[in-house]
Amino acid sequence: MLKSAFRLAPKSLLRPSFSLRAYMVSSKPQPESNSKVLIFGAGNFGSCLASHLGDSQHDVYMWAREEYIVKYFNLNHRNPTYLSDHEFPSTITAVGPAMPDKALINEVDVLLFAIPTQFLRSTLQILRPSLDINNLPLLIFVNKGIEVGTHALTLEIIADTCGPDIAKLATFISGPSFAKEIVDRQPTSVSVASFTEEEADKAANLFHQPHFRCYTGTDPVGIELSGALKNVYAIAAGMSDGLGFKNNTRAMIITRGLSEMTRIGTAYGASPLTFLGLAGVGDLFLTCSSSNSRNYTVGYRLGQGEKLDIIMSTLGSVAEGVPTTKGVKQITDELEINAPIADAVYDVLFNGKDTRLAVRELMELPPSRELELPSSSDGGPAARLLAKLGISSAGFEAAAARY
């Protein structure tokens, strides 16, 4: 069983690992400096990462689906829609709206995906014929969400569209990292995870700077779930603030939200310790505590009495937590996980429940144990995902036992 691998020995909890090097091929070797990076997505986060890498003297191509963004950016070194007051370094070239051709894709050292999860499948389907498994760029994903309908994580979307060999090379970056603060060079730290430390180290070395520190790990499933789940609880925190509740209530939501995230993630097959890191509690605290968070803003406006359709049409950017809440509901129902805060957010978003009623019902729940992880099961959805990637449960347990 997948989860039992985390309980084989104390060291397996201190250093959880999905790493099975025997199953792996590698992405192409990375240059020591001046990497060529192609970023898919010119929104807030794609733009800020382009700026960060451009400032680090890498050659960056930033793909945008809107032609006016491409033209304006290349003329003015500014993004007309996102981070519009920031002047970007000259090392960045905007490309698009057509998909980059095969020659560019195979020339670059890194492909970085910063597009919403709901659009990732279609993008990868178009991109797949251009990918050469024998000359594969380092693949980095920074989107945070669960696909509506399939409730698939990004790893599964990659496997479905590009095959298991490519999915096993994917690297994920997540953590408390507002775009505006990154471009202002505010000290920031993130989690970087892949199935092997080799791929995670490549991504960490690409991004690591004195003002942008990277910490590596080998639990990509946990990193993905952390990044997706925290958006749901950011909506809850925003709702609370919008209703006029203060610090006690927000602290309760953050702490109980972390408990729910850990419970869901452990049942799914991730390590519980991943949720105590930067991608878990770090990002949860940030997004639940600031009006700069789009998901917090959605919740705040709901708490103020606005309707969801009005909020979404005027928000000006994508709030991944709204569609993710549907995926989380499917997962908690399937795994029979008690997640009352996530359920309440779902009812407000999609069943029209009044926010004050949702809060009152949460507070009227009977007493329960504060800290409790799910009992051992068949390994959860992560076991099925590993099987799709061609990683056996026996092989996984053997690898985990070595740590």
Side-chain angles (χ1 to χ4, degrees), residues 375-390:
S375 58
S376 180
S377 67
D378 64 354
R384 298 194 295 271
L385 176 55
L386 289 180
K388 180 177 284 192
L389 298 180

Side-chain angles (χ1 to χ4, degrees), residues 153-236:
L153 299 180
T154 293
L155 264 172
E156 187 164 7
I157 297 172
I158 303 168
D160 289 344
T161 56
C162 299
D165 286 338
I166 291 177
K168 285 183 286 190
L169 292 176
T171 300
F172 299 85
I173 296 179
S174 190
S177 48
F178 282 151
K180 184 63 171 67
E181 296 183 20
I182 291 175
V183 299
D184 288 342
R185 293 199 172 194
Q186 295 291 312
T188 300
S189 292
V190 296
S191 298
V192 182
S194 188
F195 279 112
T196 68
E197 290 187 54
E198 178 185 0
E199 296 299 312
D201 286 343
K202 289 178 182 178
N205 289 334
L206 177 75
F207 276 95
H208 197 84
Q209 292 291 339
H211 59 281
F212 194 95
R213 297 189 56 81
C214 299
Y215 294 86
T216 60
T218 51
D219 182 11
V221 172
I223 293 295
E224 277 208 71
L225 284 170
S226 295
L229 290 168
K230 57 89 181 175
N231 286 330
V232 177
Y233 299 99
I235 294 174

Side-chain angles (χ1 to χ4, degrees), residues 41-122:
N44 263 327
F45 207 56
S47 296
C48 86
L49 295 183
S51 178
H52 172 73
L53 293 173
D55 277 338
S56 304
Q57 300 306 306
H58 298 297
D59 296 321
V60 180
Y61 302 93
M62 183 174 67
W63 176 80
R65 65 176 69 247
E66 299 90 354
E67 186 174 6
Y68 79 93
I69 290 182
V70 175
K71 291 181 177 179
Y72 188 92
F73 188 94
N74 288 333
L75 282 173
N76 302 286
H77 294 293
R78 293 180 184 271
N79 189 323
T81 306
Y82 302 97
L83 302 173
S84 56
D85 60 344
H86 177 67
E87 184 172 354
F88 288 78
S90 60
T91 47
I92 306 171
T93 302
V95 296
M99 188 66 69
D101 61 26
K102 185 174 183 178
L104 177 58
I105 290 170
N106 285 283
E107 177 189 351
V108 299
D109 303 297
V110 180
L111 296 179
L112 190 153
F113 296 87
I115 56 179
T117 302
Q118 310 311 318
F119 302 115
L120 184 62
R121 186 179 294 270
S122 60

Side-chain angles (χ1 to χ4, degrees), residues 277-300:
L278 288 163
V281 66
D283 211 0
L284 176 69
F285 180 84
L286 180 71
T287 53
C288 287
S289 305
S290 174
S291 59
N292 289 327
S293 163
R294 291 162 293 182
N295 296 288
Y296 171 95
T297 299
V298 169
Y300 185 88

Side-chain angles (χ1 to χ4, degrees), residues 231-243 293-306 308 311-312 315 319 322 345 348-349 355:
N231 286 330
V232 177
Y233 299 99
I235 294 174
M239 286 167 49
S240 170
D241 285 3
L243 288 168
S293 163
R294 291 162 293 182
N295 296 288
Y296 171 95
T297 299
V298 169
Y300 185 88
R301 292 174 64 177
L302 285 167
Q304 292 277 293
E306 292 188 56
L308 180 62
I311 297 170
M312 299 305 290
L315 189 62
V322 175
V345 173
V348 170
L349 292 178
T355 51

